[in-house]
Amino acid sequence: MKVQIEALTRVEGEGSLEVFLRDGKPESLRLSIYEPPRFIEGILKGKPYQVIPDITARICGICPVAYQMSGVQAIEDAFCVKIPEDIEEIRRLMYFGEWVQSHALHVFFLHLPDFFNVPSIIELSKIDKGLVLAGMEIKRAGSLIIQALGGRTSHPVSVVPGGFSALPESLSELKETLEKALEKALWTVEKLKALTFPDFELKEVLFVSLIEEDYPILKGDIYLEGVRVSPKEFKSVFVEFEVPYSTAKHAMTKDGRVYLVGPIARFNNAFEKLSPLAIETAHKLSLEPMVKNPHKGILVRIVEIVHALERSIQIVKDYKKPQKSKVEVVPKSSTGYGVSEAPRGILWHSYSFDREGRILSADIVPPTSQNQRAIELTLWELIKDKENIKEDWLIDHAEPMIRSFDPCISCATHFLKVSLKDAKKFTLA
């Protein structure tokens, strides 16, 4: 038996969920990503190091800043470049802009309709127009940060190894917009307090995020179960591997454990480092570590929006244009590593260069590919005890579960069709 849904809605990218049944009972499933890979790592080979932030930004139209930040940090690590604190703070502000923009897109446009039992934001606007308009205003605030610092919102052009190609004289025009967005975010919190969530918990999943002095976003070591792992040691702890049914790799720890990156992992590992208003927001939403219900990711994202906006307002108030927008970068034969927290989780880059700075090899591990195994495990927990699963049930239960993880499938191919199949007719590799 095969039941197929042509497309999973409100996720970024293309793929399929296949559930294999034997005598009406689930035997296995697979999250099959069929979006063509774009071979970015191969494209980079042989090119000068300066192209990394421009080319890698094209991996994702939603999170270009994340790819730029991890990329330039890997270059700076390779060439022993130390970035001044004022430049790092401006990078942090630009990254906050991406968090606000991306989280608002997911919370209001992709995930929130599930809680109102409507298929789209258009239908949601008929129920609560104010909520949708608030989401648009919050998203716009994040976009304006990126535009002010990056020259444009999509694939910004100012991020370069060593700093920025140029910086504005003032950021004062952002202050009022950010303050209004923060007001809208806090107003939204009161609305989200009324949401009800399916009773579900992640099982046998490690929560992995960066650790730094602030709530993790720009840099740091990788943190899991009280252990710090440097960016250089990433591949000694985590392993990527191919599966025959997907164009995206999966990842696990080398000792075979499934792990999760992203907002819930950051919240669970670094709750006490949130801004004061974000901690207050979490308490209003009855959130505290350990959050294990993936559906509550929508609440964690609004907490991170509050954190990002509160911190951004302070950075804008304190902003003084640096005397130099970048420091000198001198290439050499070396290998470097960079890691940051994209809205969806840890984004790791590694590059090897020759003495003139040409790229000999590139390795990029995006957050969604790291989360694929956790998503599959979660879906299995959801369906394993069900019998005679039908297409409508998958649409009503599996699709919202997948959306709660906010997968960026295009990033992972470097969803969603759903089908039910008779396991007797298939052999899984």
Coordinates of all heavy atoms in Angstrom, one line a residue, residues 87-126:
I87 N 34.4 45.5 16.5 CA 33.9 44.9 15.2 C 33.1 43.6 15.6 O 32.1 43.3 14.9 CB 35.2 44.5 14.4 CG1 35.9 45.8 13.9 CG2 34.7 43.7 13.1 CD1 35.1 46.7 13.0
E88 N 33.6 42.9 16.6 CA 32.8 41.7 17.0 C 31.4 42.0 17.4 O 30.4 41.3 17.1 CB 33.5 40.9 18.1 CG 34.6 40.0 17.5 CD 35.0 38.9 18.5 OE1 34.6 38.9 19.7 OE2 35.6 37.9 18.0
E89 N 31.3 43.1 18.1 CA 30.0 43.6 18.6 C 29.0 43.9 17.5 O 27.8 43.7 17.5 CB 30.1 44.7 19.6 CG 28.9 45.0 20.4 CD 28.6 44.0 21.5 OE1 29.2 42.9 21.5 OE2 27.8 44.2 22.4
I90 N 29.6 44.5 16.4 CA 28.8 44.9 15.3 C 28.4 43.6 14.5 O 27.3 43.5 14.0 CB 29.6 45.9 14.4 CG1 29.9 47.2 15.1 CG2 28.8 46.2 13.1 CD1 30.9 48.1 14.4
R91 N 29.3 42.7 14.4 CA 28.9 41.4 13.8 C 27.8 40.7 14.6 O 26.9 40.1 14.1 CB 30.1 40.4 13.8 CG 31.2 40.7 12.7 CD 32.3 39.7 12.7 NE 33.2 39.9 11.6 CZ 34.3 39.2 11.3 NH1 34.6 38.2 12.2 NH2 35.0 39.4 10.2
R92 N 27.9 40.8 15.9 CA 26.8 40.2 16.8 C 25.5 40.9 16.5 O 24.4 40.2 16.4 CB 27.2 40.4 18.3 CG 26.3 39.6 19.2 CD 26.9 39.8 20.7 NE 28.2 39.3 20.8 CZ 28.5 38.0 21.1 NH1 27.5 37.2 21.4 NH2 29.7 37.6 21.3
L93 N 25.5 42.2 16.3 CA 24.3 42.9 16.0 C 23.7 42.5 14.7 O 22.5 42.2 14.6 CB 24.5 44.4 16.0 CG 23.4 45.3 15.5 CD1 22.2 45.2 16.4 CD2 23.9 46.8 15.4
M94 N 24.5 42.3 13.7 CA 24.1 41.9 12.4 C 23.5 40.5 12.5 O 22.4 40.1 11.9 CB 25.2 41.9 11.4 CG 24.8 41.7 9.9 SD 26.2 42.0 8.9 CE 25.5 41.6 7.3
Y95 N 24.1 39.6 13.3 CA 23.6 38.2 13.5 C 22.3 38.3 14.2 O 21.3 37.5 13.9 CB 24.6 37.5 14.3 CG 24.8 36.0 13.9 CD1 26.0 35.4 13.9 CD2 23.7 35.2 13.5 CE1 26.2 34.1 13.6 CE2 23.9 33.9 13.1 CZ 25.1 33.3 13.2 OH 25.3 32.0 12.8
F96 N 22.1 39.2 15.2 CA 20.8 39.3 15.9 C 19.7 39.7 14.9 O 18.6 39.2 15.0 CB 20.9 40.4 17.0 CG 21.5 39.9 18.3 CD1 22.4 40.8 19.0 CD2 21.3 38.7 18.8 CE1 22.9 40.4 20.2 CE2 21.9 38.3 20.0 CZ 22.7 39.2 20.7
G97 N 20.1 40.5 13.9 CA 19.1 40.9 12.9 C 18.6 39.7 12.2 O 17.4 39.5 11.9
E98 N 19.5 38.7 11.9 CA 19.1 37.5 11.2 C 18.3 36.6 12.1 O 17.3 36.0 11.6 CB 20.4 36.8 10.7 CG 20.0 35.5 9.9 CD 21.1 35.0 9.0 OE1 21.2 35.5 7.9 OE2 21.9 34.2 9.5
W99 N 18.6 36.5 13.3 CA 17.8 35.8 14.3 C 16.4 36.3 14.3 O 15.4 35.5 14.2 CB 18.4 35.8 15.7 CG 19.4 34.7 16.0 CD1 20.1 34.0 15.1 CD2 19.7 34.3 17.3 NE1 20.9 33.1 15.8 CE2 20.6 33.2 17.2 CE3 19.3 34.6 18.6 CZ2 21.2 32.6 18.3 CZ3 19.8 34.0 19.7 CH2 20.8 32.9 19.5
V100 N 16.2 37.6 14.4 CA 14.9 38.2 14.5 C 14.1 38.0 13.2 O 13.0 37.5 13.3 CB 15.0 39.7 14.8 CG1 13.7 40.4 14.7 CG2 15.6 40.0 16.2
Q101 N 14.8 38.2 12.1 CA 14.1 38.0 10.8 C 13.7 36.5 10.6 O 12.5 36.2 10.3 CB 15.1 38.4 9.7 CG 14.5 38.2 8.3 CD 15.6 38.5 7.2 OE1 15.5 39.5 6.6 NE2 16.6 37.7 7.1
S102 N 14.6 35.6 10.8 CA 14.3 34.2 10.6 C 13.3 33.6 11.6 O 12.4 32.9 11.2 CB 15.6 33.4 10.7 OG 15.4 32.0 10.5
H103 N 13.5 34.0 12.9 CA 12.6 33.5 13.9 C 11.2 34.0 13.6 O 10.2 33.3 13.8 CB 13.0 33.9 15.3 CG 14.1 33.0 15.9 ND1 14.5 31.8 15.3 CD2 14.8 33.1 17.0 CE1 15.4 31.2 16.0 NE2 15.7 32.0 17.1
A104 N 11.1 35.3 13.3 CA 9.7 35.8 13.0 C 9.1 35.1 11.8 O 7.9 34.9 11.8 CB 9.8 37.3 12.7
L105 N 9.9 34.9 10.8 CA 9.3 34.1 9.6 C 8.8 32.8 10.1 O 7.7 32.4 9.7 CB 10.5 33.9 8.6 CG 10.1 33.0 7.4 CD1 9.0 33.7 6.6 CD2 11.4 32.8 6.6
H106 N 9.5 32.1 10.9 CA 9.1 30.7 11.3 C 7.9 30.8 12.3 O 6.9 30.1 12.1 CB 10.2 29.9 11.9 CG 9.8 28.6 12.3 ND1 9.5 28.2 13.6 CD2 9.6 27.4 11.6 CE1 9.1 27.0 13.7 NE2 9.2 26.5 12.5
V107 N 8.0 31.6 13.3 CA 7.0 31.7 14.3 C 5.6 32.1 13.7 O 4.6 31.4 13.9 CB 7.3 32.7 15.4 CG1 6.1 33.0 16.3 CG2 8.5 32.2 16.3
F108 N 5.6 33.2 12.9 CA 4.3 33.8 12.5 C 3.8 33.2 11.2 O 2.7 33.0 11.0 CB 4.4 35.3 12.4 CG 4.7 36.0 13.7 CD1 5.9 36.3 14.1 CD2 3.6 36.3 14.5 CE1 6.1 36.9 15.3 CE2 3.8 37.0 15.7 CZ 5.1 37.2 16.1
F109 N 4.8 32.9 10.2 CA 4.4 32.5 8.9 C 4.3 31.0 8.7 O 3.5 30.5 7.9 CB 5.3 33.1 7.9 CG 5.3 34.6 7.8 CD1 5.8 35.4 8.7 CD2 4.6 35.2 6.7 CE1 5.8 36.8 8.6 CE2 4.6 36.6 6.6 CZ 5.1 37.4 7.6
L110 N 5.2 30.3 9.4 CA 5.2 28.8 9.1 C 4.6 28.0 10.2 O 4.0 27.0 9.9 CB 6.7 28.4 8.9 CG 7.5 29.2 7.8 CD1 8.9 28.6 7.7 CD2 6.8 29.1 6.5
H111 N 4.8 28.3 11.5 CA 4.5 27.4 12.6 C 3.1 27.8 13.2 O 2.3 27.0 13.5 CB 5.6 27.4 13.6 CG 5.5 26.2 14.5 ND1 6.3 26.1 15.6 CD2 4.7 25.1 14.5 CE1 6.1 25.0 16.3 NE2 5.1 24.4 15.6
L112 N 2.9 29.1 13.4 CA 1.7 29.5 14.2 C 0.4 29.1 13.6 O -0.5 28.8 14.3 CB 1.7 31.1 14.3 CG 0.9 31.7 15.4 CD1 1.1 31.0 16.8 CD2 1.1 33.2 15.5
P113 N 0.3 29.0 12.2 CA -1.0 28.5 11.7 C -1.4 27.2 12.2 O -2.6 26.9 12.3 CB -0.8 28.5 10.2 CG 0.2 29.6 9.9 CD 1.1 29.5 11.1
D114 N -0.4 26.3 12.5 CA -0.8 25.0 13.1 C -1.6 25.1 14.4 O -2.5 24.3 14.6 CB 0.5 24.2 13.4 CG 1.2 23.7 12.1 OD1 0.5 23.4 11.1 OD2 2.4 23.6 12.1
F115 N -1.3 26.1 15.2 CA -2.0 26.2 16.5 C -3.4 26.8 16.4 O -4.2 26.8 17.3 CB -1.1 27.0 17.4 CG 0.2 26.4 17.8 CD1 1.3 26.6 17.1 CD2 0.2 25.5 18.8 CE1 2.5 26.0 17.4 CE2 1.4 24.9 19.2 CZ 2.6 25.1 18.4
F116 N -3.7 27.3 15.2 CA -5.0 27.9 14.9 C -5.8 27.0 13.9 O -6.9 27.3 13.5 CB -4.9 29.3 14.4 CG -4.5 30.3 15.4 CD1 -3.2 30.5 15.8 CD2 -5.5 31.1 16.0 CE1 -2.8 31.4 16.7 CE2 -5.1 32.0 17.0 CZ -3.8 32.2 17.3
N117 N -5.2 25.8 13.6 CA -5.8 24.9 12.7 C -6.2 25.5 11.3 O -7.3 25.2 10.8 CB -7.1 24.2 13.3 CG -6.7 23.4 14.6 OD1 -5.8 22.6 14.5 ND2 -7.4 23.6 15.7
V118 N -5.3 26.3 10.8 CA -5.5 26.9 9.5 C -4.3 26.5 8.6 O -3.2 26.3 9.1 CB -5.7 28.4 9.6 CG1 -7.0 28.7 10.3 CG2 -4.5 29.1 10.3
P119 N -4.4 26.5 7.3 CA -3.4 26.1 6.4 C -2.3 27.1 6.1 O -1.3 26.8 5.5 CB -4.1 25.6 5.1 CG -5.3 26.5 5.1 CD -5.7 26.7 6.6
S120 N -2.6 28.4 6.4 CA -1.6 29.4 5.9 C -1.8 30.7 6.8 O -2.8 30.9 7.5 CB -1.8 29.8 4.5 OG -3.1 30.5 4.3
I121 N -0.8 31.6 6.6 CA -0.9 32.9 7.3 C -2.0 33.7 6.8 O -2.6 34.6 7.5 CB 0.5 33.6 7.2 CG1 0.5 34.8 8.1 CG2 0.7 34.1 5.7 CD1 1.8 35.5 8.2
I122 N -2.4 33.5 5.5 CA -3.6 34.2 5.0 C -4.8 33.9 5.8 O -5.6 34.8 6.1 CB -3.8 33.9 3.5 CG1 -2.6 34.3 2.7 CG2 -5.1 34.5 2.9 CD1 -2.6 33.9 1.2
E123 N -5.1 32.6 6.0 CA -6.2 32.3 6.8 C -6.1 32.7 8.3 O -7.0 33.1 8.9 CB -6.4 30.7 6.8 CG -6.7 30.2 5.4 CD -8.0 30.8 4.8 OE1 -9.0 31.0 5.6 OE2 -7.9 31.2 3.6
L124 N -4.8 32.7 8.8 CA -4.6 33.2 10.1 C -4.9 34.7 10.3 O -5.5 35.1 11.3 CB -3.1 32.9 10.5 CG -2.7 33.4 11.9 CD1 -3.5 32.8 13.0 CD2 -1.2 33.1 12.1
S125 N -4.6 35.4 9.2 CA -4.9 36.9 9.3 C -6.4 37.2 9.4 O -6.8 38.2 9.9 CB -4.3 37.6 8.0 OG -5.0 37.2 6.8
K126 N -7.2 36.2 8.9 CA -8.7 36.4 9.0 C -9.1 36.2 10.5 O -10.2 36.7 10.9 CB -9.4 35.4 8.1 CG -9.1 35.7 6.6 CD -9.8 34.6 5.8 CE -9.4 34.8 4.3 NZ -10.0 33.7 3.4

